[in-house]
Amino acid sequence: MSNLKRKRGTETHKTSPKRRRPGLENVSDAASIPRKQSLEDGVANEEDEYAESEGSVQDGIMEEWSGISEQGKNMEAAGHSGTHTHKPPRGEELRDIKDAADLYRSTSFKLQIDVLLPNIRPKYARSAPLERFLFTLYTFLKDLSPVAPQHPLSASRDLLKKGIAVPYPLPLPTEDTNWKVSFEKPSDILLVGSWAVKMSVKAKDQRRYVADVAVTMPETLFQEKDYMNSRFFHKRAYYLAVIAGAVSNKKSGMDVDVFYESASGDPRLTTLVLRPKHGMLAHTRIRSASHDADQSAVDFTSLNVEVRIMPVLPSSSPIPLQRLSPSRSNIRISSNDAPSPLCNSALLLCTTYKSHMITMHALAESVPAFADALALLRVWANQRGYGVGDRLCMRHFDTRGPWWAAVLELLVNGEESLPGTTFHKTAKRKPLGKGLSSYQLFKAALDLLARHDFEKEHIFVKTNDGHRFPPEDYALHEAVFVDSTSTVNLLAGVPLSALEMLRHDAKMTLDILDHSNLSEDPFDAVFMRDKRDVATRFDIVLRLNLSSAKLRDPNTHASVEHGSAYNALLEHLVSCLYRGLGNRTKAISVLHPAPQARPVSQAHPSNPSTIHVGLLLDTEHAFRLVDHGPTAEEQDSEAAQAFREFWGEKAELRRFKDGSIVESVVWSVSTADERTHIPVHIARHVLARHCGLIGDAVRTWQTQFDSVVRLPESITGIYRTTGAQTGFKAAMSAFDELVRAMKGLDDRIPLAILTVSPIAEALRYTSVHSPVAAPGPVIFALPQFARYVEPMEIVIEFEKSARWPDDLRAIQKIKLAFFEALASALATSIKGLTASVVVGHGAESSDIADQACLEIVTADGWAFRARIWHDREAILLSRLIDDKPHIAPHMKRQREGDPQERQAALSAQEVYQRRFVHAPRHHRAIAALCHSFSAFAGTVRLVKRWFAAHWLLRGHVSVEAVELLCASVFLRSAQSTVEGLGSPGSKERGFALVVELLKDWEWSQGMYIPLYHGTDDGGDKTPAVTVTAGAKTGVWALATELDSGGHVWTSSGPDAIVARRIRALAQATWVALQGMESGSFEAMTLFLHPLEHYDFIIELDPAVLPRYVQNVRADPAIWAQRAKYANTRADAEDVRLCPGFDPAQAFFDDLKRVYKDTFILFYDPLGGDRFGAVWDPSLKAPRPFRALGGFSSEPIRKEGKAKDKDKALVKLNENAILSEIERMGAGLVKNIVIRE
Amino acid sequence: MAQTSSLPTSIAGFTPIPVSYSQSSIHILYARAHTGSHKPKSNAKGKNVDLPDARTLFLVNVPVDATERELTLFFKSCGTVERIVFHGEGDGAEVPEEESESEGEGEEGSNAGEDADDTAPEERPRKKRKTGKDAVPQIVPLPSVELRKFRCTGRSAHIIFLDDTSLSRALQQPSRPKPWQIDQSAPMGLSHYRALYDSLRPPLDVVRAHADSYMELFEHEQAKKRQESKYRMGEAVVDEDGFTLVTRGGAYGKTLGGGVGVASKKFQGNTESGGKRARRNKKEKGENDNFYAFQIHEKKRQELIDLKRKWEEDKAKVEKLKQSRKFRPY
């Protein structure tokens, strides 16, 4: 083994360039010549390297998939055809395999990376036209005629006549400016950046690749003092404008569109973007037909690339570099001479392009996997919005190209050892080996991003020739990552909060790579998924309209320092939020559209007027009610004043329980729901105070989502005025009280009560509406359509006794006796409590199944429904199902006993298992989740509401299944080592994650949810689901440790049809959720149900539905009707409390049972006033008559001759069925609408 | 009506009988004379249901909410209906429901509604019949209201007329659809559900009386069963195949009323097979696979082949994904 490794080590190095970077040596002659000529002086030192690689392979046109096919070729050349799997592999092959297995996460991961890489790189083989274009550009720029020095304003006026604006940054030159701008032909033109070293990576959304051309401005243009007051940038801007004017001139022969583009909206870093003209293809064809055949050769449209010209500073410029240390002040516009680190580093950046390119090239030469690793890292970053794209991008990361490379450089070369802080630092991070695979490098980079604390530690990449500025100088930068030339901080201007988001993303990805089991491939999640959706990414999304924004203390210095007032505003805004929210958030990200190219007639970038701020909450601290400041003793200190200044009227001096008197900010809330709003309250307060953003300028969607799970104000008002108890806490204490009372009855009932376990959603925080009690006076006050009281289900277990009868029917009867005893005992011992025995539930009742229950209404108006759990039932039922378990199934001659009875026993057993075994366990697990994840209960309520609003809850998807789905979203990440990482911190995000899950979930593969972690070793066992087409049973498999089959809660649905419908609905909801980005999103639209797919809709009369008030869109018109019938309220007979009386639900259940083979019925159990139904399509076609057809039919009327009886065809009698429905629902059904 | 004339007079041996629900909707009943020999009307329990051939009408596609009274009313013009037997609850097999059993002797009460709505009273007749004789405790029934029972759609019923001539009259296709008359005494729709809600919550004393009387009867039956049982203290129970039933606890255990249990074969099987496996494992451990050089060689070779196979499999998998263009991240 060891000698195998040694061999591999040497050979990999030798063969790797061929295998890994086919792009590099595919420089075709045509492409390389002009560059050789044009850029000769720039890359003289590299020229020989290129020449060397050119000699190796000349493949001509590259294939799109180079990775595998090329290897396949290699193998065949070595005498193997890949199909002979029975032969042991040869050495070469073996090396590949071992490589893949050892150096990557898995072999398939490596193969997937290999296939991915060519797809995200430009086709360098077709870059010949671009090379020719660059050559023309080179000669063109070299031939530009100089412009004599003139006053900046007059110079800009001259250019403006040609339609070219000069992008002068702040502070704008004035008439009394005493320096001049001028133009001379560039001293040097150089292709730099990732295109030059062939490491370009595709950007999102078909954005173009960028070929950076660094145009070195001659040093004669500059003077020593040009660092002052952005004078350098003014000269640079003029230089750029002259080039823009020349290139856009029609006579130039350059057939391109010219734009300005400013990185991060900073006018100092404006560049010129050249794009091939639209319709250039056709255009050139005509031209080439005439005489200019050469022209078509420079058309690089198909390459999807743009050329970016950036003027750079020569290394020999008169501007002294030491003046540009981050601690120096180079802005003297007011008396204020605070340091201007950003300004300085922007200038320094103009000197580094060449050296960055050289470093990258050198790295790529010495580290074979460098280019691949960089590509992986950038794909990963692009997928998470750290790059440009059409959707919202992370601010500060749109043009950090050099930084990503520098991260890898740091890993390979290590850190610069600095005097003072050196010792422990160098010990901490050792440089990695050069032979690492791309995956290993990628993962190391993620590891750095995930673990490095940018706030505390500064990073200095290893330099070649020593360090320049002392580390203390960087104190004003929030994060420090100094590049290998030791000139610029590549993270200048990036706030810590943004890096925290990056860290979070890196952590999440590492977690996926480390902890996902081998059965599911993390490749997709890491590289292929677009993760830019704000709804699933951030707990809270704020949409800010900045058009009215006004800083509390506008600061010209800051504006100049940040490049523009807009940028300064954003920075201030973020820092205010960061300070105001403190440790309540894990990260704050600013998102806005990527900077757009602008016409050259526009000097300054147009800034997006709306931005999004994404907050990632730390749920431990986020909902704290009080923020403490300095104590009263230091009342007059600076800190106290800053505190008061920051919080304004919110800051107050308070005395706390421990006796301390402290400056503090208190956020008052009235309900538990409101607590989740505290971060938004803070953000609103801070933004209003410091940035002048009030009212509609700050938009969130929290209240919209809240209103979905809340009763209308008019009803809650009644509850409040009558003093009825509401809320989960009250319900649970009512439950506890009842249990205590029941346990106190020991001497009055035959057997003592052992346990009472709750199984109701209201007792585990997850019912959509918070539970309400309805004591007498409330019932009188409530309108008829709001009188529904949900009885909360509980299970009573009595102590063991030998005196239970050993007969199922008798057990059911004796339960009645128990209930009766319990009811009368409770009623006599507790005043105001009423209890009645419910002997069954109507239509489908079997006499061996558990059916009776006890309905208890406490004095406060809480309703409970108790059942008795007797474990002997399980044994008796299983005996009924299989009376000879000791005989193997295949030996049994036939099933004995009545098949009908067996069927009844089976369903009774299912009810038993679900109700008495699984439900209490499930209840406990879900209640525990509610405690450990603060957003869980809210998520479940929202998701339940969503299912209900789309007419699926209860009828097709059980509430427990919904809870399991939500739990999977929260537990997916909780499995990992880092507790709570990635689990949503707000219910809105939880909801969005569940929608995403439903949209993507392949339910045929089942799902495993470790709900009861700890009770079992779990393991990775996803249930196998066998889906038979058109099966009427549930297709979802939600397995837990205690239910490996996964069908306890999904046995009755959704079936395949409904499951597909759920996915379609989730998809639509997902699309709507993305409206958050454009601002068009309204939470209510997610809960409006589309009706177009139903064949007919049964409309009910809302006035008689006791739950109508729970409807998502309860119609206020019904409220108005109430006044009309005010006199009927006196009818006392009608106004008694009927817990659980829901005629619509009963009607729905009846219809569903009666017509189960005729149509599928849908209904919103939460106050729905319509049923939707879809006919079974197979019944529409005529079919021969059968006596047991099982549907209401009518003969097909034949025209004229009805001679033979055999062809007696019938079809569905829709009219009659609808009439029957109307009759069955007399008083409920208002109308039946048939849709075409 | 014009529509009726276009109805076929016969469809697969059935006579379609149009029933008009309203102006526009016509429900179709399919009727045929009941033929006893065709389908033996005795189910597994061996309870014969008396369906006299000559005066029994077999009706298919009964309205879902039809009560006996409504059907009687509907066929009044043909003759007097003696009784009606609804079929096909539950699994759809044409097995008469339990309520039909009660009909067999339930002449005296002829309380149609009672059978239709509540399960509890169903217990009574069967138990009574089984136990038969005097001194049997009577079950106090739970109070019942006449409520409709919604049956699954497209089910069948037998209608037994008082005399034979009615049957032939009923099989005549009427010239025009007969209207369906709704029995107003049985509530519909909202009031039905209200009534159902109330009827499921009887007064406590009735519940108590019912449960007590049922248990009394149950005890009585148990006692009787014990008397009739073959099992006597100290005697072996031998089944029809001649095997002796061996019970745990023997003569002293609680053996009657279903409490019989034998050491399960499954358990034995488990222990046996477990033991075997344990033994085999032991044996395998003793063998040495790496004794000869060729064994080691073969093993290594096999490992490499497996490695390569896995590699090829992965490659094929990725290739397949590639075909489906899954590798364009954006």
Side-chain angles (χ1 to χ4, degrees), chain A residues 64 84 86 107 202 528 813 820 839 845 855 879 1136 1139 1150 1153 1193 1208 1213 1219-1220 1223-1224 1226, chain B residues 11 21 25-26 30 65 119 150 189-190 193 197-198 200-201 208 210 258 305 308 314 326 328 330:
Chain A
E64 198 171 335
H84 289 175
H86 55 277
T107 45
K202 203 179 201 173
M528 307 304 284
K813 293 296 171 190
E820 193 275 332
V839 294
S845 39
E855 220 163 59
R879 196 172 285 163
R1136 70 202 154 84
D1150 271 339
R1153 176 179 55 88
S1193 60
N1213 191 352
S1219 299
E1220 277 175 356
R1223 205 165 61 203
M1224 286 164 75
Chain B
I11 178 159
Y21 280 167
S25 65
I26 311 276
Y30 303 90
D65 55 346
T119 53
F150 298 138
L190 188 58
Y193 290 111
Y197 184 86
D198 290 340
L200 288 177
R201 287 157 180 76
R208 175 179 203 125
H210 173 73
I305 289 176
K308 186 176 167 192
D314 278 348
K326 282 222 171 121
R328 290 185 187 283
Y330 38 79

Side-chain angles (χ1 to χ4, degrees), chain A residues 372-395:
Chain A
D372 287 356
L374 182 61
L376 290 181
L377 187 60
R378 298 205 63 176
V379 168
W380 175 84
N382 282 343
Q383 293 286 36
R384 281 153 186 80
Y386 302 101
V388 293
D390 290 345
R391 291 171 65 182
L392 296 178
C393 302
M394 295 290 193
R395 182 172 166 77

